[in-house]
Amino acid sequence: MQLDRDDERVLAGEFGETRQRLMELLVGLGTVFGAERLVPIASAQVSGASYKTIGDWGLEWLSSLDARAVVPAVLNPVGMDLERWHEMGIDPAFAKKQEQVVEVYRRLGIRLECTCTPYYLSMTHYGDHLAWSESSAVCYANSAIGARTNREGGPTALAAALVGKTPFYGLHLVENRRPTVVVEVEGAPAAPDGGWYGALGVLAGREVGAGCPFLRGIRPTRDGLKSLGAAMAATGAVALFHVDRITPEARVFPFETEGLETITFGAEEIEAVWSDLPVEAVAIGCPHCSEEELVRVAELLVGKRTTKPLYVFAARRVIAAHPAEVATIERSGARVYADTCMVVSPALERYGAVMTNSGKASAYMPSMCGAAARLATLEDCVAEATS
Ligand code: F3S
């Protein structure tokens, strides 16, 4: 790899041992993937934040680092709401470890937004180079915004945050952002919600794997793009997709799709992903709710009472911007939690089956929480929790 003078100085240890070690990690990664150089990044998003997923080994490794982020860097959801963890029924021993993890990230200069939707909080621009690691955030940044990031691991995103650069390979290069497969959707409803796009994403991700799909026959809103990408990133390893005439690069580049394999899904096949599995709880907000979704949940809950636990997850700043809606939701008996989610928190491990409007959560809950998952629309989720 071609390193500039500053990179060489970091590698030589002039800016401390931590940056030296992390630069070695980035250079090693870049060498493996054939990167010619490093590229400066606009921001980093760092996963590996829940004590549930990183455990003592992760905490020990993080504690060994001594440097501060040199670019804006935000943390992924952790294992509990940092203010209301008692209410979530979190074990105090877990909470203590989680607080230690958070404290280490604070010391490293990572902003404790604790969200997988950092694109709601700060401007990320078309063409920006990023080092983001949560798979749904990566998919959204690449696809809905037209920014450029590989699907980083937690350590490499953190290394990029502390060094300010990432290896220039993969999705940072325009030539690797072309579609590799066409997905035709037939009979899409007029205004499908996130649950419908989650079901489409579950199916498409399984077929597409790590490819870059070009989707036709749908016109998703930004919440639809979020749900679709999150699910494709979970059941496949999709990090970038294009939607005909919707996503920025599909509007900028005359992508050639002739000759590509085409996979077709019909509405019936997509809706067959939904089931009528009996559930004990309902969870909304994977990825974290947008303002529009939070408002919609409140509208659906006006004058209702929950009959089973209903969890809603969103970034703390999104929650703070909507006190009236949050009050309406909580008046029903539901709870709105920040900093965490249904998958990375141990809170939902107590249920045998959970209903969700998230294709991604439906894919991960069985292995991450030991709970069977039932995917449905947002309306059906609220109806189930209040029936
Ligand atoms: Fe976000 Fe947790 Fe889902 S990190 S994408 S809400 S699994």
Side-chain angles (χ1 to χ4, degrees):
M1 271 176 81
Q2 194 67 41
L3 299 183
D4 68 20
R5 176 79 191 111
D6 287 340
D7 300 338
E8 297 280 10
R9 291 174 65 196
V10 175
L11 202 53
E14 277 188 48
F15 298 94
E17 194 212 328
T18 292
R19 285 208 176 86
Q20 181 183 30
R21 276 164 58 199
L22 296 179
M23 182 59 104
E24 284 169 1
L25 176 65
L26 295 178
V27 170
L29 180 72
T31 304
V32 166
F33 285 99
E36 287 178 6
R37 61 183 174 90
L38 300 174
V39 63
I41 55 166
S43 66
Q45 191 260 354
V46 181
S47 64
S50 170
Y51 179 68
K52 172 175 162 174
T53 56
I54 67 169
D56 283 328
W57 184 89
L59 175 56
E60 199 178 310
W61 182 75
L62 289 169
S63 303
S64 74
L65 303 177
D66 184 17
R68 284 186 68 80
V70 293
V71 293
V74 297
L75 193 60
N76 207 41
V78 298
M80 61 191 197
D81 186 309
L82 294 171
E83 294 175 5
R84 299 174 73 184
W85 58 268
H86 289 102
E87 261 183 78
M88 294 183 78
I90 300 291
D91 179 347
F94 178 94
K96 195 170 165 210
K97 290 285 191 178
Q98 184 62 72
E99 281 167 351
Q100 288 173 16
V101 173
V102 166
E103 196 42 47
V104 174
Y105 277 118
R106 187 197 309 277
R107 184 173 56 71
L108 295 171
I110 310 299
R111 282 163 42 186
L112 303 178
E113 302 284 3
C114 304
T115 184
C116 51
T117 54
Y119 39 83
Y120 294 152
L121 308 177
S122 56
M123 291 303 289
T124 299
H125 301 282
Y126 181 89
D128 279 353
H129 291 281
L130 314 172
W132 287 17
S133 55
E134 196 286 314
S135 65
S136 76
V138 166
C139 213
Y140 191 93
N142 277 321
S143 315
I145 300 174
R148 296 174 190 177
T149 176
N150 287 319
R151 194 163 145 155
E152 299 291 342
T156 57
L158 181 59
L162 270 53
V163 167
K165 293 183 176 181
T166 195
F168 192 51
Y169 75 97
L171 294 178
H172 292 282
L173 304 172
V174 176
E175 60 266 33
N176 294 333
R177 299 178 65 85
R178 294 190 196 102
T180 59
V181 58
V182 173
V183 173
E184 289 280 1
V185 182
E186 293 177 346
D193 88 336
W196 192 90
Y197 280 113
L200 169 59
V202 164
L203 295 178
R206 282 183 197 143
E207 294 294 325
V208 168
C212 172
F214 185 89
L215 292 106
R216 291 201 188 99
I218 53 171
R219 296 192 65 78
T221 61
R222 69 174 192 161
D223 285 333
L225 290 170
K226 179 181 74 167
S227 301
L228 174 62
M232 290 196 293
T235 57
V238 173
L240 165 66
F241 64 95
H242 306 288
V243 181
D244 191 22
R245 292 173 296 140
I246 298 286
T247 51
E249 283 169 309
R251 285 185 276 128
V252 169
F253 295 112
F255 286 131
E256 184 51 71
T257 55
E258 224 178 274
L260 294 181
E261 179 197 1
T262 298
I263 303 165
T264 304
F265 296 109
E268 264 183 37
E269 190 181 3
I270 293 164
E271 285 155 29
V273 172
W274 300 336
S275 74
D276 48 13
L277 177 80
V279 297
E280 296 153 35
V282 179
I284 292 165
C286 168
H288 276 171
C289 285
S290 64
E291 298 200 8
E292 292 80 3
E293 288 170 323
L294 206 56
V295 168
R296 183 69 188 132
V297 174
E299 284 169 358
L300 291 169
L301 281 169
V302 170
K304 296 197 177 131
R305 287 290 306 167
T306 54
T307 52
K308 46 181 66 121
L310 172 56
Y311 296 80
V312 180
F313 298 98
R316 187 168 293 283
R317 269 207 266 169
V318 170
I319 293 171
H322 291 278
E325 285 80 6
V326 170
T328 299
I329 294 170
E330 297 220 329
R331 212 174 297 124
S332 76
R335 286 292 169 263
V336 182
Y337 290 121
D339 310 322
T340 188
C341 80
M342 59 196 84
V343 172
V344 300
S345 169
L348 276 85
E349 289 172 4
R350 70 187 73 135
Y351 306 112
V354 177
M355 187 165 174
T356 178
N357 65 332
S358 164
K360 172 172 178 171
S362 74
Y364 280 2
M365 288 193 79
S367 59
M368 291 289 289
C369 303
R374 173 176 165 190
L375 178 58
T377 63
L378 179 63
E379 277 75 5
D380 285 348
C381 283
V382 172
E384 177 71 24
T386 55
S387 61

